[in-house]
Amino acid sequence: MATFLYKLGRLSFRRRHFVALIWVALLTLAGVGAASAPAAGNSSFSIPGTEAQKAFDLLEQRFPGTSADGATARVVFKAPSGEKMTDPGNKATVQDTVKELSDGSEVVRVTDPYQAKAVSKDGTIAYAQVSYKVSGMELDDDAKDALKDSAQDARKAGLTVEIGGDALQAVPHTGSSEIIGIAVAAVVLVITFGSLVAAGLPLLTALIGVGIGVSTITGLASALDLGSTTSTLAMMIGLAVGIDYALFIVSRYRAELAEGREREEAAGRAVGTAGSAVVFAGLTVVIALVGLSVVNIPMLTKMGIAAAGTVAIAVLIALTMIPALLGYAGRKVKPMGEKGKLLGRAKSQDKPGEQAKTAEPAKPNLGTRWASFVVRRPIAVLLLGVIGLGAAAVPATSLELGLPDDGSQPTSTTQRRAYDLLSEGFGPGFNGPLMVVVDAKDSDDPKAVFTETGDEIKGLKDVVTVTPLQPNKAGDTATITVIPGSKPSSVTTENLVHGIRDAGADIKADTDANVLVTGSTAMNIDVSQKLNDALVPYLVLVVGLAFLLLIVVFRSILVPLKAALGFLLSVMAALGAVVAVFQWGWLSGLMGVEQTGPVMSMMPIFMVGVVFGLAMDYEVFLVTRMREAYVHGEKPAQAVVTGFRHGARVVTAAAVIMMAVFAGFIGSSESMVKMIGFGLAIAVFFDAFIVRMAIVPAVLALLGRKAWWLPKWLDRALPNVDVEGEGLRTRTDRGDEDRELVRA
């Protein structure tokens, strides 16, 4: 591995024009494809195997032409103070609005509040429901404008009018904080390298990689049914790992220059050593992201595969374009220890080897001093780190899962205000109606089954309203709408869904009729359950594969085991922080969280996947340097210090950069993106600075030589990937001997 990458690095350095041309051509091709591709609609949200999805599919078959998957809008009216919606003037305004809404070409139907009895008991609030032929993201701008204009006309007449539903659904934006995250990354790189040129290389290559990845996703979005969140996630992860991977290779290149090597040789060795770590770190991230497919939620699978593709591009760019750009930069990238003009005057570089002989011994850097302290006090550091992460994880014990609805929107949006008006006028459960589908095709008396089902549901706890059943033309299937007494995300509503399904099981046993519960609330409950059920198998798959991969990398049993246990600590602490902010409301104002509530259902499994991949990045980059020192003859404790001397500064910079990039997405208007950004940022903090910087060296110091133990039979069976670059050292030694013979 190291020898192959060494040759690749030297080739890219020499053929830099060709390498740069290839990547620029790929970026151009992806950009043209994205610009010419048809606009993507909203990604279809199907959950195979769930009862809610089965009911939805049944509706498509038994009620054709009803556009069950089309967008809906609830136009909510509130009368001025002291008036009622039944007053003649207000009633006329609403009916004019309903007539105006019905004129749209994409409108299927509009319900009149007075005919549908959609007026609150106190008469102050009413609503009209608009159903469309297409989904919210596919809805024409003209249709959305007509919806807004109709509401505005009613406002001019004196009514309060708000619009809920998914008809006004828009592509989420991340805001200026994303740019701030990249700016912070640039500052950290400048401080780390002391040179604008060296700092610019990781940023440039990361942006090119993300540009290719996101443009490709945009170009394929319509054909592959990719949602807007897919490209946002790919951008988030692609930027973070792209900068980090390039950072590690550039740092190793500067270290090789400091040892007196020629620039082409330094580029080759940097790619051969740090590049090997990049490959395996990238593989762990890809495994974790692609592994999301085991959940069998198409949207999550597509997000994971798209992000994994962007990570793979970041790895390839780091291995090829970075050495090519180093060739272009020449002497503008200084050896390790030298300051560029930006942060200080450059030291003489005429004779790299002489300075080390004449200068006084350099003061140990912060990483060396910290590692030495940990090696002397391993038990205290280990206990402090574990207890601290354990305390942060405590809120995770009260984790509640759900999916966001209009109730989680900012109070400044019309969707949220419509949600609040409906709760005020009709009760909190009105925003999460349950649709019960009764399939009596195999029953002897469908009408009797319909009546029995309605009566059973009316007798359940927390049921406010049960609408009259609506049979299809064939008379073998009917729908019943159930209004719960509690809000959609409450445990009480979840219990009601299970209660209806339990009653349906009894009805099936007696009549052979199927009773299915669907609707957005039931779908959210099913998604949460499906994700919970998949979490353990996913964790076993991803951690197991990565564990095997790390055994190959480190040629050890205990080091990969320690890495996996450390990851579990950091991910639990990160979940605790997410619960504290988004569920409990701690620091919610600072994070821009206007409405607390259940944590997004896919957050735990998503964090397990992504955080595990990113955590292994730091494990690989930091511990491979320790293993390299150990393999080359240093004692275990000294190898830990050596690993920190060479890697702590770079890993710290990489973690700060990754945190800055992720934190930039906290400003997103999409609650899911905001939560993911915060969760990943805090997880990187816990994992990089507590697990990898404190717990890892403490455990390795306690284990000593046992840390690198591997059964002899397994040692013989495993392939030798040579991440430490032993083959390169042998190659260099032979080259030095040959040069000495020539001189003799």
Side-chain angles (χ1 to χ4, degrees):
M1 171 71 78
T3 303
F4 169 76
L5 293 178
Y6 165 80
K7 294 177 180 178
L8 179 63
R10 294 196 62 169
L11 179 64
S12 299
F13 188 93
R14 288 197 306 271
R15 300 287 186 263
R16 46 187 172 272
H17 302 307
F18 180 69
V19 172
L21 181 63
I22 288 177
W23 285 111
V24 171
L26 288 175
L27 179 61
T28 303
L29 183 64
V32 171
S36 58
N42 188 31
S43 178
S44 59
F45 190 77
S46 62
I47 312 296
T50 61
E51 180 173 317
Q53 186 64 46
K54 292 177 182 176
F56 183 82
D57 295 338
L58 185 64
L59 286 173
E60 292 286 330
Q61 297 172 10
R62 305 287 175 85
F63 293 82
T66 57
S67 299
D69 60 343
T72 59
R74 278 181 169 178
V75 183
V76 188
F77 307 89
K78 183 175 183 180
S81 179
E83 299 182 17
K84 294 184 180 295
M85 291 304 304
T86 51
D87 294 345
N90 294 334
K91 186 174 182 179
T93 299
V94 172
Q95 290 177 329
D96 289 343
T97 303
V98 169
K99 183 178 180 181
E100 187 177 350
L101 289 169
S102 302
D103 294 337
S105 60
E106 294 182 321
V107 175
V108 176
R109 62 184 174 276
V110 182
T111 60
D112 186 318
Y114 303 101
Q115 295 180 5
K117 298 181 180 180
V119 180
S120 63
K121 290 182 179 180
D122 61 4
T124 59
I125 297 174
Y127 73 92
Q129 182 154 312
V130 188
S131 300
Y132 293 90
K133 299 177 182 177
V134 296
S135 66
M137 293 298 288
E138 296 170 325
L139 202 61
D140 288 342
D141 290 338
D142 292 341
K144 294 181 180 181
D145 291 339
L147 181 61
K148 295 175 184 177
D149 292 342
S150 299
Q152 188 59 36
D153 292 340
R155 291 188 186 104
K156 291 178 181 178
L159 298 177
T160 298
V161 186
E162 303 296 345
I163 304 171
D166 60 353
L168 296 182
Q169 187 175 1
V171 177
H173 59 84
T174 54
S176 59
S177 56
E178 177 187 346
I179 306 300
I180 296 174
I182 296 176
V184 170
V187 172
V188 173
L189 287 169
V190 170
I191 294 174
T192 302
F193 292 135
S195 165
L196 286 175
V197 174
L201 296 183
L203 281 176
L204 176 61
T205 54
L207 291 174
I208 291 174
V210 167
I212 294 173
V214 173
S215 296
T216 302
I217 291 170
T218 304
L220 298 175
S222 179
L224 300 181
D225 191 26
L226 303 177
S228 57
T229 309
T230 303
S231 58
T232 304
L233 174 65
M235 181 188 302
M236 183 190 303
I237 296 179
L239 272 176
V241 300
I243 293 174
D244 277 8
Y245 294 166
L247 167 64
F248 286 114
I249 291 179
V250 173
S251 298
R252 187 59 183 253
Y253 171 76
R254 296 177 68 230
E256 297 294 336
L257 288 179
E259 294 183 9
R261 292 186 173 86
E262 297 295 331
R263 293 187 177 273
E264 182 179 327
E265 175 69 14
R269 291 183 65 86
V271 175
T273 51
S276 297
V278 165
V279 169
F280 283 99
L283 273 176
T284 59
V285 180
V286 169
I287 288 172
L289 290 171
V290 173
L292 291 170
S293 58
V294 303
V295 184
N296 196 26
I297 295 180
M299 183 187 73
L300 196 59
T301 299
K302 293 171 185 177
M303 289 171 62
I305 293 175
T310 307
V311 171
I313 293 172
V315 171
L316 292 174
I317 283 186
L319 298 178
T320 57
M321 195 168 185
I322 281 293
L325 293 179
L326 289 172
Y328 283 118
R331 294 184 178 276
K332 293 180 181 179
V333 177
K334 305 293 182 183
M336 188 76 73
E338 290 194 14
K339 298 288 187 180
K341 294 181 180 180
L342 186 65
L343 296 180
R345 300 186 63 180
K347 298 177 183 178
S348 174
Q349 194 183 338
D350 295 333
K351 298 180 180 180
E354 291 186 2
Q355 185 179 334
K357 297 177 182 178
T358 58
E360 294 181 0
K363 180 182 178 181
N365 60 22
L366 182 60
T368 302
R369 298 196 299 273
W370 168 250
S372 300
F373 170 78
V374 174
V375 168
R376 291 195 305 270
R377 302 285 188 273
I379 296 178
V381 172
L382 178 61
L383 289 176
L384 189 61
V386 171
I387 292 172
L389 290 177
V394 169
T397 57
S398 62
L399 175 68
E400 295 179 8
L401 299 176
L403 288 178
D405 54 20
D406 284 347
S408 62
Q409 296 272 6
T411 53
S412 59
T413 62
T414 186
Q415 292 95 328
R416 171 61 187 279
R417 292 196 292 264
Y419 180 97
D420 292 340
L421 284 176
L422 288 172
S423 296
E424 177 187 341
F426 302 93
F430 198 79
N431 284 291
L434 306 175
M435 179 176 287
V436 179
V437 182
V438 185
D439 177 12
K441 189 174 183 178
D442 297 331
S443 176
D444 296 332
D445 189 355
K447 290 185 179 180
V449 172
F450 298 156
T451 302
E452 180 184 353
T453 303
D455 293 340
E456 286 285 343
I457 294 174
K458 289 177 183 177
L460 295 176
K461 186 179 180 181
D462 199 49
V463 173
V464 174
T465 305
V466 177
T467 64
L469 61 89
Q470 300 291 326
N472 64 345
K473 290 182 180 180
D476 59 5
T477 308
T479 61
I480 304 172
T481 301
V482 180
I483 305 298
S486 305
K487 64 181 182 178
S489 59
S490 68
V491 176
T492 306
T493 300
E494 182 178 349
N495 292 336
L496 174 59
V497 171
H498 293 312
I500 296 174
R501 288 173 174 170
D502 291 340
D506 295 335
I507 292 173
K508 180 175 176 59
D510 296 337
T511 65
D512 290 330
N514 287 318
V515 178
L516 308 174
V517 185
T518 188
S520 60
T521 301
M523 183 68 82
N524 290 352
I525 292 170
D526 287 350
V527 170
S528 298
Q529 186 61 49
K530 192 176 182 69
L531 289 166
N532 285 340
D533 293 343
L535 182 58
V536 173
Y538 172 72
L539 191 62
V540 171
L541 173 68
V542 171
V543 175
L545 288 176
F547 181 78
L548 295 176
L549 186 66
L550 292 179
I551 289 178
V552 174
V553 174
F554 296 127
R555 307 195 77 77
S556 164
I557 297 293
L558 296 179
V559 171
L561 180 62
K562 172 263 309 169
L565 294 177
F567 148 75
L568 291 175
L569 275 174
S570 58
V571 79
M572 288 302 298
L575 275 176
V578 169
V579 170
V581 173
F582 291 89
Q583 187 175 310
W584 292 359
W586 294 4
L587 302 178
S588 57
L590 181 64
M591 298 297 167
V593 180
E594 297 190 22
Q595 179 68 32
T596 59
V599 172
M600 182 180 62
S601 298
M602 64 180 66
M603 195 67 187
I605 199 165
F606 186 81
M607 283 189 66
V608 165
V610 177
V611 174
F612 182 79
L614 300 179
M616 293 307 102
D617 278 4
Y618 302 116
E619 180 75 14
V620 170
F621 290 127
L622 195 59
V623 180
T624 47
R625 258 307 175 90
M626 298 178 190
R627 171 151 182 89
E628 183 178 344
Y630 177 76
V631 167
H632 293 156
E634 293 188 8
K635 294 182 179 180
Q638 184 57 39
V640 171
V641 177
T642 300
F644 268 77
R645 181 171 69 249
H646 292 293
R649 178 184 176 90
V650 179
V651 169
T652 300
V656 172
I657 289 169
M658 197 171 279
M659 288 169 55
V661 172
F662 288 149
F665 288 84
I666 295 176
S668 173
S669 62
E670 178 69 36
S671 59
M672 182 171 75
V673 175
K674 182 190 293 287
M675 192 178 294
I676 288 174
F678 171 80
L680 294 183
I682 197 69
V684 169
F685 171 77
F686 287 145
D687 196 86
F689 293 105
I690 299 180
V691 174
R692 308 304 154 187
M693 291 289 186
I695 294 177
V696 165
V699 171
L700 290 178
L702 288 172
L703 291 176
R705 295 185 182 277
K706 295 178 182 177
W708 308 108
W709 171 80
L710 186 69
K712 292 182 179 180
W713 64 268
L714 185 57
D715 187 34
R716 290 191 298 268
L718 291 177
N720 184 13
V721 295
D722 190 23
V723 177
E724 303 85 16
E726 182 64 26
L728 298 183
R729 174 172 293 228
T730 304
R731 180 189 186 97
T732 304
D733 292 342
R734 287 201 306 266
D736 292 341
E737 291 175 3
D738 292 342
R739 283 191 290 272
E740 290 296 331
L741 289 173
V742 170
R743 292 193 188 100

